[in-house]
Amino acid sequence: MSYVKPDAVIEQIVQAGVAKSQLPVRDLLTRGFLAGAFLGFATTLAFTASLQTKVGLTGALVFPVGFVMIVLLGLELVTGNFALLPPGLLEGRVPLGALLANWGWVFLGNLLGSIFYAFLFVVTLTPESEMAKQLMAVAEAKTLGYARLGAQGMAVVLAKGILCNWMVTLGVAMALTSQATSGKIVAMWLPIMTFFAQGFEHSVVNMFVIPAGMLMGAHISVADWWLWNQLPVTLGNVAGGLVFTGLALHMTHRKRGVQGVPAPLAGEMHAALSGRS
């Protein structure tokens, strides 16, 4: 049986968070760079599918390929790390400084990779192409569209950020529910497709889409990008991943041993006591 039960998944999450917190900056930047670029590839693939079929849902059906590449290759996606590291912090196995450093360096790596792919991709386009028009329209909707709504727009973008990363980090967790590669792919595909199909806001996807739209001529300033999208979406992604996946699953599935001690520690204590007797 390749199915992994939820309590074992939580142990894997904690161990993954500990391992990620110990990675050197070089690895965080390199893996983050690749992850940002791969999500850019997946986004343009999704846009291509939607433009060719005229059915938006087809884009959501193919978008998860980028996420699959990231997970199977052990790369670093900051939105996933918003859920993976906090359980280790809660158990005292991930220092706060290491968690914040991981998030910061991976965010930078994702940003650099996304923008690098944006520069390369726009070289392949002409301003009159359907893809160029799509990128500009989406970039403007994700920034100026919210700005026109004022405070309501800010509330909308925050809510979309929370809902997005609730699903994205669920994909990270569900990938751990199988020991088989095929099982991992199917399990993570479902929540990723769900977020993309509903137009929720993912900070790393937007690191590609908005700069690409700007490069193609969208009337967006850097301030528009960061104030009306990147910053609030990132905050929403933090809340969605940390609260509704990382901490929620840890709270309900983490086995407790002696007087609330986490199961691994309780097991060590039991072995020590048994040895003494």
Side-chain angles (χ1 to χ4, degrees):
M1 296 294 290
S2 63
Y3 173 65
V4 179
K5 293 183 178 180
D7 57 329
V9 168
I10 296 304
E11 174 60 23
Q12 289 185 68
I13 287 176
V14 173
Q15 292 178 1
V18 172
K20 287 175 178 291
S21 72
Q22 297 171 351
L23 287 173
V25 172
R26 178 195 62 189
D27 288 340
L28 296 176
L29 286 174
T30 302
R31 297 179 190 186
F33 180 94
L34 293 173
F38 289 173
L39 275 196
F41 275 101
T43 302
T44 53
L45 173 65
F47 286 176
T48 299
S50 297
L51 289 170
Q52 289 177 347
T53 64
K54 308 302 180 184
V55 178
L57 185 59
T58 57
L61 289 172
V62 300
F63 173 78
V65 298
F67 192 79
V68 169
M69 291 187 285
I70 289 168
V71 171
L72 295 185
L73 290 175
L75 303 180
E76 293 292 317
L77 192 64
V78 71
T79 47
N81 290 359
F82 290 155
L84 289 176
L85 275 75
L89 175 69
L90 191 64
E91 295 191 7
R93 297 168 64 180
V94 174
L96 177 60
L99 177 147
L100 296 177
N102 175 281
W103 288 1
W105 287 115
V106 174
F107 184 94
L108 177 60
N110 291 163
L111 179 64
L112 293 174
S114 299
I115 293 177
F116 179 77
Y117 179 71
F119 272 104
L120 284 181
F121 186 74
V122 299
V123 172
T124 71
L125 303 176
T126 62
E128 298 79 19
S129 67
E130 289 299 314
M131 178 63 76
K133 295 175 183 178
Q134 174 84 345
L135 286 171
M136 289 189 287
V138 172
E140 290 179 353
K142 286 177 173 289
T143 53
L144 304 181
Y146 295 128
R148 283 192 289 269
L149 296 176
Q152 181 185 359
M154 189 62 69
V156 170
V157 75
L158 278 168
K160 286 186 174 183
I162 293 171
L163 293 171
C164 169
N165 214 34
W166 190 348
M167 287 293 98
V168 170
T169 52
L170 190 61
V172 175
M174 289 182 65
L176 300 174
T177 63
S178 175
Q179 295 176 338
T181 301
S182 58
K184 290 178 178 293
I185 292 172
V186 172
M188 71 177 85
W189 203 281
L190 303 175
I192 303 304
M193 180 183 67
T194 299
F195 108 75
F196 197 88
Q198 298 183 79
F200 297 148
E201 296 286 350
H202 189 275
S203 61
V204 181
V205 169
N206 294 345
M207 290 174 185
F208 160 74
V209 172
I210 298 175
M214 294 167 68
L215 290 169
M216 293 307 304
H219 301 293
I220 302 168
S221 67
V222 173
D224 292 330
W225 168 20
W226 284 86
L227 177 62
W228 289 102
N229 188 285
Q230 201 64 58
L231 290 176
V233 168
T234 301
L235 290 175
N237 286 173
V238 171
L242 186 154
V243 176
F244 296 110
T245 296
L247 298 185
L249 292 180
H250 184 276
M251 178 178 67
T252 191
H253 284 303
R254 188 58 160 162
K255 286 185 177 179
R256 295 287 161 175
V258 180
Q259 297 181 345
V261 177
L265 297 181
E268 292 175 9
M269 293 170 61
H270 177 75
L273 291 172
S274 298
R276 288 176 186 173
S277 60

